[in-house]
Amino acid sequence: MPTRTARTAWTGTLQEGSGQVELASSGVGKYDVSFPKRSAEEADGTTSPEELIAAAHSSCYAMALSAQIGNAGGTPDSLDVTADVTLGPDPAGGFRITGIKLTVRGRVSGIDADAFQAAAEAAKAGCPVSKALAGVDHITLDAALA
């Protein structure tokens, strides 16, 4: 399997500095990052590590769920997956990811709601990004057929 690369160029202090993260392997873009906007309610066109983790988790989970539905004998007609990643204080100091909420609504054929729920739980456990984020205290799942 290939290695994928992202690169960040940063200048300045944490509070006054800024950077740009580049999705280097795919070449699809460069995105501004800054700590003040990372910790603000409104991102104002600036991304954050948490948003990038959310993108990685939602896309990985969608792929894993698609595989699990197929393994159960179903066909995923459409999956709509959202990952909400929350940054909060770390009792040991600094910050940490305090929770991730995965929400999926699926249109599937060939399996019922119980089989979909089982596939959703298996995908959460088996998704490589879920495994990488095992240190997050709370990863919740809200899965339902649309």
Side-chain angles (χ1 to χ4, degrees):
M1 299 298 286
T3 298
R4 300 293 186 226
T5 304
R7 177 184 165 274
T8 299
W10 184 271
T11 55
T13 66
L14 177 63
Q15 291 298 329
E16 291 154 15
S18 64
Q20 207 173 51
V21 63
E22 173 187 5
L23 304 182
S25 297
S26 63
V28 297
K30 294 181 182 181
Y31 304 93
D32 293 335
V33 292
S34 83
F35 185 77
K37 289 187 180 179
R38 178 183 186 185
S39 57
E41 286 299 319
E42 296 298 322
D44 294 327
T46 301
T47 194
S48 67
E50 293 73 35
E51 184 177 39
L52 295 169
I53 289 170
H57 205 178
S58 67
S59 60
C60 184
Y61 179 81
M63 291 179 207
L65 180 54
S66 177
Q68 290 295 330
I69 291 168
N71 291 343
T75 301
D77 300 317
S78 67
L79 301 172
D80 185 349
V81 180
T82 302
D84 296 310
V85 176
T86 303
L87 180 69
D90 186 341
F95 298 93
R96 65 177 296 187
I97 293 172
T98 57
I100 300 172
K101 178 183 178 187
L102 290 171
T103 303
V104 59
R105 296 297 177 261
R107 293 187 190 283
V108 301
S109 52
I111 61 172
D112 64 14
D114 289 339
F116 177 79
Q117 189 65 41
E121 291 292 340
K124 178 179 172 260
C127 163
V129 173
S130 290
K131 291 176 185 179
L133 296 169
V136 175
D137 292 336
H138 304 285
I139 299 178
T140 62
L141 174 64
D142 172 5
L145 294 173

